[in-house]
Amino acid sequence: MDWVEESKRFDEAAEYYDHYRPSYPDELVECIESNAGLGPSSKILEIGAGSGKASELFLNKGYELLCIEPGAQLAEVGRRKHRDKKLEYLVTRFEHWDEPENHFDLIFSATAYHWVPQPIGYKKCASTLKVDGNLALFWNMYFGEGDPLYQELVSLCNQYGLVYFQNGKDMEIRIQTIAKEMTDSGYFHNPEIIRYPWKQSYNTESFLGFIKTGNGFLGKSSKEKSEIEAEIIAVLDKMDGSVDIEFVSTLFISQKIPYVMRNEHNKFSLFLCDLHGTSQQGTQFLQG
């Protein structure tokens, strides 16, 4: 699978994406504010901002954002929607961006960081964060356990790769895998993990709109799309045209390990800097 090409499909459905994609709990943003010690002058970068769904939660609190978004149409929707707020979009992929060093207090990414290639992603995040900067990654995860009709709907979505629902065990495996990836990068401390379960009600129209925002649906042929829609509608009709989707918004927040660099032996050199920017080199070998 070409992950770069797959990620571009979201831009084809920019208006759908903005209208039907779910947002995130306010409590999640409040947790980030508290853990990262944000203030009015904090410099914040968002990776994969899309149309500004998560951006909005920070902008409404008065923060200024720099948003990296590879989709030109999604970026245009975000600019238009937030034209009176303090935000700037750069239309590029994060891995291609020439980042400033030691600049941001916080980097966050909302249901998007899995599109960033590694290990360059964590390396660039560490490079552009200040010494005490924080990385906050969060995802809306879709809970797939419920009554038989809910399970039937979930099975269809998973079968066609529309949106992926998971049972509790598989979701926990995914959560621990993300946390381990952050730690194993060598650039960030063990993340704090916070889960926010919540529900959103959908009727037939809004649920169809929701699945049409996914790259799995967008990659289907017209014939396949029509057939899938018919199957989804048939199940929703049995649910009286209404379903409550269960989300688990999961936050991973971690502070940067100061000045960590890999050497040619896949070990790390730790540089300790004083407040005036002069450096004194020491070497500490960490497990990779």
Side-chain angles (χ1 to χ4, degrees), residues 202-206 233 235-243:
Y202 289 85
N203 59 24
T204 299
E205 179 187 355
S206 59
I233 290 170
V235 177
L236 287 169
D237 282 348
K238 291 189 284 186
M239 304 173 80
D240 297 324
S242 178
V243 61

Side-chain angles (χ1 to χ4, degrees), residues 17-124:
Y17 185 99
D18 184 62
H19 188 70
Y20 290 111
R21 274 276 166 147
S23 186
Y24 303 89
D26 290 335
E27 295 86 351
L28 186 151
V29 176
E30 291 166 3
C31 180
I32 294 174
E33 284 185 291
S34 175
N35 281 35
L38 298 181
S41 62
S42 293
K43 296 184 181 298
I44 303 176
L45 172 70
E46 181 179 6
I47 299 172
S51 63
K53 300 290 289 190
S55 321
E56 184 172 16
L57 302 177
F58 288 86
L59 293 169
N60 287 346
K61 290 175 174 287
Y63 294 112
E64 182 175 354
L65 301 183
L66 176 62
C67 298
I68 302 291
E69 169 51 48
Q73 294 180 67
L74 283 165
E76 183 54 36
V77 172
R79 288 191 191 102
R80 185 172 68 246
K81 186 170 64 171
H82 301 306
R83 58 185 174 274
D84 297 327
K85 303 290 177 63
K86 296 182 291 185
L87 118 158
E88 177 186 356
Y89 267 93
L90 293 180
V91 179
T92 186
R93 294 190 64 84
F94 178 63
E95 62 268 26
H96 298 158
W97 179 52
D98 187 14
E99 78 278 5
E101 293 187 1
N102 304 316
H103 184 76
F104 292 98
D105 299 285
L106 171 71
I107 297 174
F108 75 91
S109 185
T111 315
Y113 196 73
H114 51 283
W115 296 110
V116 177
Q118 303 303 334
I120 190 173
Y122 287 110
K123 182 178 181 180
K124 286 173 72 72

Side-chain angles (χ1 to χ4, degrees), residues 27 30 36 81 109 117 134 150 153 158 189-190 203 225 245:
E27 295 86 351
E30 291 166 3
K81 186 170 64 171
S109 185
N134 283 266
Y150 187 78
L153 185 65
N158 287 349
H189 294 286
N190 292 334
N203 59 24
K225 289 176 181 178
I245 299 299

Side-chain angles (χ1 to χ4, degrees), residues 103-243:
H103 184 76
F104 292 98
D105 299 285
L106 171 71
I107 297 174
F108 75 91
S109 185
T111 315
Y113 196 73
H114 51 283
W115 296 110
V116 177
Q118 303 303 334
I120 190 173
Y122 287 110
K123 182 178 181 180
K124 286 173 72 72
C125 285
S127 170
T128 197
L129 279 170
K130 294 178 181 177
V131 173
D132 57 350
N134 283 266
L135 175 63
L137 307 178
F138 49 99
W139 281 264
N140 275 332
M141 300 184 181
Y142 310 133
F143 189 63
E145 297 179 15
D147 62 37
L149 284 177
Y150 187 78
Q151 291 282 346
E152 187 177 350
L153 185 65
V154 162
S155 295
L156 274 178
C157 291
N158 287 349
Q159 175 187 339
Y160 292 117
L162 308 178
V163 289
Y164 286 100
F165 290 84
Q166 296 176 298
N167 60 36
K169 180 181 178 181
D170 289 343
M171 188 177 292
E172 191 58 31
I173 291 172
R174 180 185 176 193
I175 289 169
Q176 296 306 321
T177 298
I178 294 170
K180 185 176 186 299
E181 181 185 77
M182 291 181 72
T183 304
D184 287 354
S185 74
Y187 295 104
F188 293 92
H189 294 286
N190 292 334
E192 182 176 356
I193 305 170
I194 307 99
R195 302 163 180 82
Y196 300 91
W198 60 287
K199 295 181 180 182
Q200 182 162 312
S201 296
Y202 289 85
N203 59 24
T204 299
E205 179 187 355
S206 59
F207 188 77
L208 287 173
F210 171 53
I211 66 169
K212 289 177 182 179
T213 67
N215 62 308
F217 183 86
L218 294 168
K220 307 293 185 188
S221 68
S222 297
K223 182 175 182 293
E224 288 173 322
K225 289 176 181 178
S226 296
E227 292 172 348
I228 289 169
E229 285 188 52
E231 289 189 61
I232 294 290
I233 290 170
V235 177
L236 287 169
D237 282 348
K238 291 189 284 186
M239 304 173 80
D240 297 324
S242 178
V243 61

